Amino acid sequence: MSHSPEDHIPVLAQELVDLIGPQPGDTVVDCTFGAGGHARLVGEMIGSEGTLIAIDRDPVARARFQEFESTASCHTRFLPVEFSQALKDLQNEGIRAAGLYMDLGMSSLQVDAAERGFSYSHEAALDMRMDPRQELTAGEILNEWPESRIKQVLQIYGEERYAGPISREIVRRRPLNTTSDLVDAIKAGMPTAARFGSGHPARRSFQALRVAVNGELDAIDAALPIAWDTLDVGGRMAAISFHSLEDRRVKQFFAGLAVGCICPPDLPICICGHEPEAKLLTRRSITAEESELEANPRSRSARLRGALKLAERPAV
Ligand SMILES: C[S@@+](CC[C@H](N)C(=O)[O-])C[C@H]1O[C@@H](n2cnc3c(N)ncnc32)[C@H](O)[C@@H]1O
């Protein structure tokens, strides 16, 4: 399926823009450009003196960026690599940003490109790579990894209750060639009643494999501290997550930065002098309003968190 820039609906877009508060002339980093929905809004706000630096490891996003750049009113730049690497490169160049955001997970461009294997609803090869230059595919995991490791992937990244029997079924049916072979193995590994529970029975396993293929959680862990260091004092950072494994990382990262005194609780006065580096802009995560849920079902699991940078990280 092809998309025009207008038919892509960015998730929690107004909420994200309100949180980051882009100002004319700002430099803002979009770590997950995708179809550029958020970037378009931010670009309009930073205006002709501002710079939007976009990152995405998917070449399809790069093609979208080229369309964006031809009409954007701000300065633009694109880094076609994994975001923790791109942020390191920006840091090495001495770039500092007033705003930075990540809209994690996969884009609608990726899910709807049937041949890329992200969707359990389309017959395709077992690929799931966001960056086709990468070697590891879902097919390699499913056909070559030991059963115990596949079980771990399904359990940890998909929180799949039937990870054991599903991984056994996957190994028994090797070789698996297509997404339909995988869906069949998943269904066969589940008790009948569980196949008719809420949502598609393959949803959790497909999520788990995608996270494993793309090393998504490691990428977030690596990127968060570099992203924070890229922000100027007074700058704002935000992240939209789509499952609890992502959201937990973002939440704990911001919470750690917002800690003030770290003296033992029994000390009557503070002697550590530790100051918070961040002020939380969201005590609880922001979720989609009813109207957005109706217009864009993908927003159902989206959670937005943000923080304001109060001070530089103390040198160690
Ligand atoms: C949810 S989409 C972003 C959608 C975008 N905000 C929009 O409005 O169109 C996530 C994008 O981030 C990219 N991505 C995910 N993890 C990445 C990583 N570690 N490094 C670089 N790009 C990544 C994906 O390729 C995908 O295009």
Side-chain angles (χ1 to χ4, degrees), residues 106-153:
M106 58 183 172
S107 70
S108 49
L109 301 177
Q110 291 164 336
V111 191
D112 293 341
E115 70 285 0
R116 298 186 69 177
F118 285 102
S119 166
Y120 40 71
S121 310
H122 303 294
E123 171 88 359
L126 293 161
D127 189 327
M128 299 196 193
R129 290 171 298 175
M130 289 180 177
D131 180 351
R133 295 164 296 188
Q134 171 189 311
E135 277 183 22
L136 182 66
T137 62
E140 184 177 330
I141 294 180
L142 292 162
N143 290 314
E144 293 175 30
W145 283 17
E147 184 183 317
S148 58
R149 210 166 152 205
I150 297 176
K151 178 180 165 189
Q152 261 183 350
V153 164

Side-chain angles (χ1 to χ4, degrees), residues 262-278:
I262 50 170
C263 291
D266 51 349
L267 277 192
I269 54 159
C270 170
I271 56 163
C272 71
H274 186 268
E275 299 281 350
E277 288 169 56

Side-chain angles (χ1 to χ4, degrees), residues 120 123 126 138 141-143 147 150 154 160 162-192 194-195 200-206 209:
Y120 40 71
E123 171 88 359
L126 293 161
I141 294 180
L142 292 162
N143 290 314
E147 184 183 317
I150 297 176
L154 302 184
E160 172 54 65
Y162 303 104
I166 292 174
S167 48
R168 205 168 311 133
E169 200 57 43
I170 286 170
V171 170
R172 197 180 69 76
R173 289 171 176 237
R174 280 174 175 171
L176 274 64
N177 294 311
T178 65
T179 46
S180 305
D181 294 344
L182 176 57
V183 171
D184 291 345
I186 293 166
K187 286 185 179 165
M190 288 178 137
T192 313
R195 280 184 232 156
H200 192 285
R203 187 178 57 83
R204 290 173 184 279
S205 298
F206 268 66
L209 284 161

Side-chain angles (χ1 to χ4, degrees), residues 11-177:
V11 170
L12 293 172
Q14 193 55 51
E15 291 85 346
L16 177 94
V17 165
D18 289 347
L19 209 68
I20 297 281
Q23 299 296 316
D26 277 354
T27 294
V28 177
V29 183
D30 178 333
C31 297
T32 48
F33 182 80
H38 292 110
R40 205 161 284 283
L41 291 174
V42 171
E44 280 162 17
M45 296 177 79
I46 59 178
S48 58
E49 299 295 310
T51 303
L52 192 287
I53 303 178
I55 302 170
D56 204 299
R57 57 177 153 178
D58 188 335
V60 174
R62 179 178 212 159
R64 281 314 184 91
F65 174 80
Q66 281 159 353
E67 292 168 32
F68 167 72
E69 139 181 87
S70 64
T71 55
S73 55
C74 58
H75 300 282
T76 57
R77 184 172 166 194
F78 188 77
L79 286 85
V81 285
E82 202 279 307
F83 54 48
S84 61
Q85 183 55 52
L87 288 165
K88 265 187 224 155
D89 294 345
L90 292 175
Q91 225 180 24
N92 290 338
E93 286 179 39
I95 304 274
R96 305 282 277 179
L100 181 149
Y101 56 93
M102 301 173 172
D103 175 17
L104 296 164
M106 58 183 172
S107 70
S108 49
L109 301 177
Q110 291 164 336
V111 191
D112 293 341
E115 70 285 0
R116 298 186 69 177
F118 285 102
S119 166
Y120 40 71
S121 310
H122 303 294
E123 171 88 359
L126 293 161
D127 189 327
M128 299 196 193
R129 290 171 298 175
M130 289 180 177
D131 180 351
R133 295 164 296 188
Q134 171 189 311
E135 277 183 22
L136 182 66
T137 62
E140 184 177 330
I141 294 180
L142 292 162
N143 290 314
E144 293 175 30
W145 283 17
E147 184 183 317
S148 58
R149 210 166 152 205
I150 297 176
K151 178 180 165 189
Q152 261 183 350
V153 164
L154 302 184
Q155 232 164 17
I156 299 172
Y157 299 156
E159 298 175 289
E160 172 54 65
R161 191 167 162 202
Y162 303 104
I166 292 174
S167 48
R168 205 168 311 133
E169 200 57 43
I170 286 170
V171 170
R172 197 180 69 76
R173 289 171 176 237
R174 280 174 175 171
L176 274 64
N177 294 311

Side-chain angles (χ1 to χ4, degrees), residues 274-291:
H274 186 268
E275 299 281 350
E277 288 169 56
K279 175 173 176 265
L280 299 183
L281 297 172
T282 46
R283 291 244 152 242
R284 284 166 179 269
S285 59
I286 295 174
T287 53
E289 303 272 353
E290 202 54 48
S291 53

